[in-house]
Amino acid sequence: MGLRKHRGHLITLFIAVSLVLSACGSASASATSSSSSKKNIKLLNVSYDPTRELYKQYNQLFSSYWKKKTGQTVTIQQSHGGSGAQARAVIDGLNADVVTLALSGDVNSIAAATNKISPNWQSRLPDHSAPYTSTIVFLVRKGNPKHITDWNDLTKKGIGIITPNPKTSGGARWNFLAAWAYADKKYNGDQTKDKQFLKSIFSNVKVLDSGARGATTTFTTRGVGDVLIAWENEALLSLNEPGGKDKYQIVYPSVSILTEPTVSVVDKNAQKNGTTAAATAYLKYLYTKPAQEVIAKNYYRPRNQSVLADYRKLYPNIPLVKIDDPLFGGWKKAQKKFFDDGGIFDQIYSGKS
């Protein structure tokens, strides 16, 4: 009996050791698998139309930085379109880790509709989470044959205007508000006259593309229109492409608007995807000097003042209104007043009073 009992203890001990070893092996395999998966991650940046060239270069810069810092290989996938349409796509389920959109109102709409972005998202990064700025200018044919010098010239008969659709494009909303700021100054705040002024401009619009890049293509490739109301960076890009200076020139109006494209992690998507650390770093790195250099080279106005100084000759100083000025009161009020269904844009573009 003693021998049998001793053998029973040995068998029990053997089974216990085997289970421990098996568990260790599984844990080791799991750790190896987890470690391996961490070596390769993917981020989806849902952005707006004119940032294609910017993020193509920035993604390479960030991937190199992140590899050196963490050992991880990060691949950044891009999605581009009109800013409003892109926000809607994220609301409808597009699995963005980060959004880099044309205006804070589009990020706010995602936050409000999905709760996937923290309500305090604009306070998480410097400059209200806007790492670069731009403004709105006119791109005209070489020699400016229609003599377009300011917003008032866009109301004249025979002027063909290209601008995107404010319903789908963030850039188009900036365009509209820049024109409104000019009208408000011209007519001393008489909104009836302001509306008529904008109606006169939009009566000359030849094509309302869904996004800013589509509008640029209509003007430059298809040759439609006399003037493109454009992001400054889009206009500079067109001008500096091969042969661009022989075809186009930029006109700065007497007043425009400070455009502030904003960025945010889509928190719940990033948590689900296991990409929060990389997604957060991806946006923070935009503020570093190497990234600001890439931003400047792609014709956006960098926030870094020393980098901006090196590119100052590209950016004339003109009066720029801001979205938070009393005239507009921030994007929440501006969106409701001008661009929601039944707002001023619908009123002047549909011909309603």
Side-chain angles (χ1 to χ4, degrees):
M1 288 291 292
L3 180 60
R4 291 175 64 187
K5 185 176 182 181
H6 179 66
R7 289 177 63 189
H9 284 314
L10 288 174
I11 292 170
T12 301
L13 179 62
F14 175 79
I15 292 172
V17 170
S18 296
L19 289 172
V20 170
L21 290 174
S22 175
C24 288
S26 298
S28 176
S30 176
T32 301
S33 174
S34 176
S35 175
S36 175
S37 66
K38 288 180 181 178
K39 292 294 182 183
N40 297 283
I41 58 173
K42 291 182 179 180
L43 297 178
L44 174 59
N45 176 8
V46 174
S47 197
Y48 66 105
D49 265 338
T51 62
R52 298 167 192 269
E53 293 77 15
L54 166 60
Y55 281 107
K56 182 178 180 180
Q57 293 181 38
Y58 174 70
N59 290 346
Q60 295 174 354
L61 180 71
F62 176 77
S63 295
S64 177
Y65 157 78
W66 194 243
K67 179 74 172 180
K68 291 177 182 177
K69 180 179 175 65
T70 68
Q72 288 182 325
T73 298
V74 58
T75 301
I76 300 103
Q77 298 173 318
Q78 289 294 136
S79 172
H80 295 278
S83 187
Q86 291 291 80
R88 172 51 56 185
V90 176
I91 291 169
D92 291 342
L94 183 60
N95 190 27
D97 297 282
V98 300
V99 288
T100 57
L101 296 176
L103 45 94
S104 61
D106 285 333
V107 183
N108 284 332
S109 68
I110 298 171
T114 68
N115 293 316
K116 290 181 177 180
I117 296 176
S118 173
N120 72 339
W121 67 272
Q122 269 192 289
S123 66
R124 297 190 294 199
L125 290 169
D127 301 306
H128 306 291
S129 293
Y132 41 85
T133 69
S134 189
T135 190
I136 300 304
V137 302
F138 307 148
L139 188 68
V140 300
R141 307 293 175 188
K142 183 69 174 179
N144 196 5
K146 294 297 181 76
H147 308 292
I148 296 165
T149 61
D150 211 342
W151 293 101
N152 193 57
D153 295 317
L154 304 188
T155 66
K156 296 176 180 178
K157 290 184 178 180
I159 300 295
I161 300 170
I162 304 299
T163 183
N165 189 338
K167 291 291 191 177
T168 55
S169 166
R173 276 170 274 173
W174 288 119
N175 294 354
F176 188 100
L177 295 182
W180 184 271
Y182 173 90
D184 191 76
K185 182 178 179 181
K186 178 180 176 68
Y187 297 114
N188 297 311
D190 185 332
Q191 293 204 9
T192 299
K193 292 182 177 179
D194 294 347
K195 287 170 68 173
Q196 185 57 48
F197 184 83
L198 268 293
K199 186 173 183 178
S200 296
I201 288 179
F202 275 86
S203 68
N204 285 335
V205 171
K206 297 296 184 184
V207 179
L208 275 184
D209 286 287
S210 62
R213 181 54 57 88
T216 301
T217 300
T218 295
F219 183 76
T220 59
T221 303
R222 294 176 55 199
V224 179
D226 304 300
V227 55
L228 170 70
I229 309 176
W231 293 89
E232 179 184 48
N233 57 282
E234 273 288 272
L236 286 167
L237 180 64
S238 298
L239 195 67
N240 287 283
E241 287 182 344
K245 289 183 174 64
D246 296 326
K247 298 177 182 177
Y248 317 111
Q249 64 190 71
I250 296 175
V251 173
Y252 281 82
S254 63
V255 63
S256 192
I257 194 166
L258 177 68
T259 62
E260 296 183 293
T262 47
V263 303
S264 178
V265 175
V266 185
D267 301 288
K268 290 188 177 179
N269 285 355
Q271 291 167 11
K272 179 185 68 176
N273 298 337
T275 59
T276 299
T280 301
Y282 179 77
L283 299 183
K284 284 185 175 180
Y285 195 69
L286 282 165
Y287 291 86
T288 66
K289 191 170 184 179
Q292 292 280 296
E293 288 279 358
V294 170
I295 286 165
K297 289 175 182 176
N298 283 276
Y299 307 115
Y300 285 90
R301 300 186 179 204
R303 289 290 193 179
N304 184 294
Q305 292 302 300
S306 66
V307 176
L308 179 60
D310 292 337
Y311 291 84
R312 175 52 69 186
K313 63 182 180 180
L314 287 175
Y315 309 122
N317 278 325
I318 62 171
L320 298 177
V321 299
K322 297 179 180 179
I323 190 65
D324 291 325
D325 287 348
L327 176 61
F328 300 122
W331 267 113
K332 185 176 181 180
K333 289 184 178 179
Q335 177 66 35
K336 182 178 181 180
K337 177 177 180 178
F338 294 99
F339 308 117
D340 277 358
D341 290 346
I344 287 175
F345 173 71
D346 283 352
Q347 295 168 29
I348 65 102
Y349 194 63
S350 65
K352 298 176 183 177
S353 60

